Amino acid sequence: DMILAKDPSFAFDIGLEVQIRTKLVRFWSYIKRAAIRIGDDILEVEGSPDLEDRDTHYWFNFEYQGDTNSIGGFPLKITTNGVQKRSFDIDLSSKFPGQKIVISSFREFVRVDFQHTTAEAFGNAVGMMGDFKTGNLLARDGVSEIGDFMDFGNEWQL
């Protein structure tokens, strides 16, 4: 597990944390699960390698396929193409116009996409995404730069 982005002051102190859970396959890995916490709400998404599996695998506040249309007060839209692709769109427009966080899955692969971001929304976030303003890969202390990707990954591992 790794911290992709974390900002306790996100959206006027509601708070945000995005974690990814990876799976190692021989000499490469992929994101198998992603979890996002906004305020007190947690959404966790998992893909499925089963070609016959038509279910949308997610947990909302630890309840499998929990009924929700928002997370942390932001609208959440869950869509599927009926086969293998799922999308969880978190619309941040109420506080950050035009911005979204989209967690999507295709088969067993999960992706987290921060769309149309600004420094106002994500300028204080730390984690595997690096520093928003500079792109530098910073350690947990928010100051030390890490030049080696292996060391950087280990720094943000849970």
Side-chain angles (χ1 to χ4, degrees), residues 99-152:
Q99 298 182 60
K100 284 184 177 183
I101 300 173
V102 178
I103 301 175
S104 56
S105 66
F106 175 74
R107 297 185 56 184
E108 66 261 49
F109 305 104
V110 175
R111 171 183 168 164
V112 180
D113 190 15
F114 295 82
Q115 297 181 351
H116 312 292
T117 58
T118 63
E120 178 189 12
F122 296 99
N124 296 322
V126 296
M128 295 284 298
M129 300 284 288
D131 181 70
F132 184 87
K133 296 171 186 116
T134 65
N136 294 339
L137 305 179
L138 300 179
R140 288 180 189 253
D141 65 11
V143 177
S144 305
E145 285 190 44
I146 300 177
D148 181 85
F149 291 120
M150 295 294 282
D151 291 340
F152 183 66

